[in-house]
Amino acid sequence: MQILKDIRYLPENGFRGTGDLFLPEPDCSTGKIALSIHGGGWASMDKDSFAGVAAFLAENGLAVFNINYRLAGAAPFPACAEDCLAAADFVIGKNIPELNGFDCSRLLVIGASAGGHLALMTGLKLGRKRALGIAAISAIADLMPDFTANRERYSILFGHEPEGAEMISASPVELVAADSPPMFLTHYINDRVVPVESSVNFIKKAKSLNAEV
């Protein structure tokens, strides 16, 4: 496995506009690409905290662009979501020469916790034409259960106490549709960081629309 560090997908954002590229060994490559997104409540951590997941995916044949994004507190929402979508566009736009030979047209998007929220937001906005699928681990997939349990982090996310319309615009459950990309959600039933109801509500909504989840 080869790792190329600190590729700048949004140079104006400095370190927060960079990602690391994990390349699989040629003899096990699937030719597919994943975008991986770290968690941290939107306000902490960086790409190194999710490097183990990126390495695991690369060991299983995927090229992985494991990214940073602007953190809440320094840049309120929707900055983090815009950055993740920009990173996806950067890869799809064939801006990384080392990905020649890989299928850049559609990405698997994966993240955990707040990164799972951003993975869902990114993949759902990319749609089936540009997202191969979405994998969300313990994701904040419906904001309301998490807002009830962890109200303080939403003042950090938005830079103020959010209004209803802002919560709706930032909630993946509001974006899911019948033709959404295939989605895989997993969530520990006794999660004390993100309420499991966040994923349960999302899955119920997706299934009611006959989305592939």
Side-chain angles (χ1 to χ4, degrees), residues 17 20 40 42 68 80 84 95 106 108 120 132 139 185:
D20 298 336
W42 302 292
N68 284 329
C80 54
C84 293
N95 289 295
R106 299 173 75 210
L108 170 67
L120 286 166
L132 186 65
L185 283 80

Side-chain angles (χ1 to χ4, degrees), residues 89-212:
D89 288 338
F90 182 79
V91 175
I92 291 169
K94 299 182 179 180
N95 289 295
I96 305 177
E98 290 81 4
L99 289 175
N100 288 343
F102 287 85
D103 181 5
C104 294
S105 64
R106 299 173 75 210
L107 308 180
L108 170 67
V109 189
I110 181 170
S113 193
H117 164 267
L118 292 170
L120 286 166
M121 292 292 287
T122 303
L124 290 170
K125 288 187 176 182
L126 289 175
R128 274 187 177 259
K129 289 185 177 180
R130 299 196 296 162
L132 186 65
I134 307 167
I137 305 162
S138 299
I140 306 174
D142 176 5
L143 262 58
M144 288 312 299
D146 188 61
F147 177 73
T148 301
N150 301 290
R151 194 181 187 105
E152 68 285 350
R153 65 180 167 210
Y154 288 84
S155 293
I156 298 172
L157 176 62
F158 291 98
H160 56 262
E161 183 78 7
E163 299 179 355
E166 290 176 304
M167 292 289 290
I168 289 171
S169 71
S171 193
V173 73
E174 301 294 336
L175 296 179
V176 67
D179 61 349
S180 291
M183 296 167 286
F184 173 79
L185 283 80
T186 180
H187 206 130
Y188 177 46
I189 194 169
N190 294 320
D191 192 334
R192 295 183 180 181
V193 178
V194 177
V196 68
E197 289 79 13
S198 182
S199 289
V200 169
N201 291 353
F202 183 95
I203 291 168
K204 285 181 179 178
K205 171 74 175 294
K207 287 184 173 179
S208 75
L209 297 170
N210 295 316
E212 191 174 345

